[in-house]
């Protein structure tokens, strides 16, 4: 007889693996999960669990169900089970809409969405969205893509150049989540290379000159880090 497994089965398994002591320790080091339940399961155990299930078409619907769960570990596990090769742009859009937690968003963009062949295009599209969560997902995805770029590689897609334009445009947004995403993305671009570091510092200074208090906050959160990176590069 063929054994079948459901999302509920996996949630029950995660509950069995939960550790209150580990959850208390982990919550002190994990930010942006205030709205999610934290069971307290080490990442290595989640990876081992995902490897046991495999991925591909049979896990597609189950992974989608887990991604919608209010459980931190279930969300991370869902991204481990999703098969990039089966992703459509509609799948990517649906995933991005669900990334309402900072740490979950960062994890998903780094480990799943950045591997999509159309990642750069979707990142810019989302970053220019009117939806707060989609906008944050876009800037987080830009950061994830940039971190994986070789330092001397050309900006063939125009990702970094257009991202700086969007960062200037969105820096004054009246949303704490977007402000944080903009500041983080600006730092990520600046860390790519010496040339992009100077471009990021120039952008931060332009943002600082905007009349919006929100824009000035974004600049204050990024320019110190960027100038510190400049000093470190000068010593190399």
């Amino acid at each position: 007889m063929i054994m079948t497994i459901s999302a509920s089965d996996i949630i029950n398994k995660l509950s069995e693996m939960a550790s209150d002591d580990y959850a208390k320790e982990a919550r002190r080091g994990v930010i942006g999960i205030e709205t999610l339940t934290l069971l307290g399961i080490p990442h290595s155990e989640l990876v081992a669990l995902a490897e046991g299930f495999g991925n591909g078409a049979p896990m597609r619907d189950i992974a989608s169900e887990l991604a919608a769960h209010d459980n931190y570990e279930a969300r991370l596990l869902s991204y481990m089970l999703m098969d990039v090769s089966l992703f459509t742009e509609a799948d990517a859009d649906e995933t991005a809409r669900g990334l309402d937690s900072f740490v979950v968003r960062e994890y998903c963009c780094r480990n799943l969405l950045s591997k999509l062949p159309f990642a750069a295009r979707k990142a810019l599209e989302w970053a220019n969205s009117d939806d707060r969560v989609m906008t944050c997902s876009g800037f987080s995805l830009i950061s994830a893509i940039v971190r994986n770029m070789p330092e001397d590689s050309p900006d063939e897609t125009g990702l970094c150049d257009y991202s700086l334009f969007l960062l200037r445009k969105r820096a004054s947004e009246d949303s704490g989540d977007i402000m944080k995403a903009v500041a983080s993305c600006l730092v990520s671009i600046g860390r790519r290379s010496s040339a992009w570091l100077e471009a990021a510092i120039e952008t931060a200074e332009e943002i600082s000159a905007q009349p919006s208090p929100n824009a000035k906050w974004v600049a204050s959160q990024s320019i110190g880090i960027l100038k510190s990176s400049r000093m470190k590069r000068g010593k190399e």
Side-chain angles (χ1 to χ4, degrees):
M1 182 175 64
I2 298 175
M3 296 293 293
T4 59
I5 191 166
S6 68
S8 295
D9 293 330
I10 295 177
I11 293 298
N12 290 337
K13 178 63 177 177
L14 291 174
S15 297
E16 293 173 4
M17 298 168 65
S19 166
D20 290 339
D21 290 340
Y22 190 85
K24 290 177 183 178
E25 182 68 25
R27 189 168 286 280
R28 287 196 287 267
V30 179
I31 60 175
I33 61 167
E34 293 80 5
T35 61
L36 300 177
T37 300
L38 182 65
L39 295 177
I41 303 173
H43 184 262
S44 59
E45 293 185 18
L46 289 177
V47 171
L49 186 62
E51 289 175 347
F53 291 134
N55 54 24
M59 297 301 297
R60 182 184 178 92
D61 293 339
I62 291 176
S64 295
E65 287 186 55
L66 292 175
H69 207 276
D70 63 354
N71 181 307
Y72 170 66
E73 285 85 356
R75 297 252 185 125
L76 295 195
L77 184 62
S78 74
Y79 306 133
M80 297 176 194
L81 295 175
M82 290 179 180
D83 189 338
V84 172
S85 68
L86 300 176
F87 252 59
T88 65
E89 294 197 28
D91 291 330
D93 290 339
E94 181 181 359
T95 300
R97 288 190 194 95
L99 300 178
D100 54 356
S101 160
F102 170 78
V103 69
V104 171
R105 181 168 60 244
E106 290 287 297
Y107 185 92
C108 181
C109 287
R110 183 175 68 251
N111 294 285
L112 177 68
L113 296 178
S114 63
K115 299 176 183 177
L116 296 171
F118 45 81
R121 177 163 52 79
K122 298 305 292 187
L124 294 175
E125 176 187 318
W126 298 339
N128 203 31
S129 170
D130 292 330
D131 181 88
R132 175 186 60 83
V133 174
M134 293 291 278
T135 298
C136 291
S137 295
F139 284 121
S140 290
L141 183 52
I142 291 168
S143 295
I145 295 170
V146 168
R147 291 189 200 110
N148 291 328
M149 285 181 173
E151 181 169 324
D152 297 326
S153 64
D155 189 29
E156 295 177 348
T157 64
L159 176 68
C160 292
D161 192 46
Y162 191 62
S163 293
L164 293 179
F165 163 76
L166 288 176
L167 291 168
R168 290 191 292 269
K169 176 183 176 182
R170 307 302 300 264
S172 60
E173 294 281 331
D174 190 20
S175 164
D177 288 343
I178 292 179
M179 290 160 60
K180 292 174 186 175
V182 167
S184 178
C185 185
L186 186 54
V187 169
S188 293
I189 291 175
R191 284 175 169 167
R192 181 183 170 192
S193 69
S194 295
W196 285 110
L197 176 59
E198 295 307 313
I201 290 174
E202 181 180 345
T203 299
E205 291 173 341
E206 291 176 4
I207 290 173
S208 181
Q210 293 180 17
S212 164
N214 294 343
K216 294 185 185 302
W217 182 91
V218 168
S220 71
Q221 295 299 302
S222 54
I223 200 163
I225 298 173
L226 292 168
K227 288 187 174 179
S228 177
S229 294
R230 175 197 272 167
M231 291 180 62
K232 290 178 181 177
R233 282 184 174 272
K235 294 177 181 179
E236 291 176 356

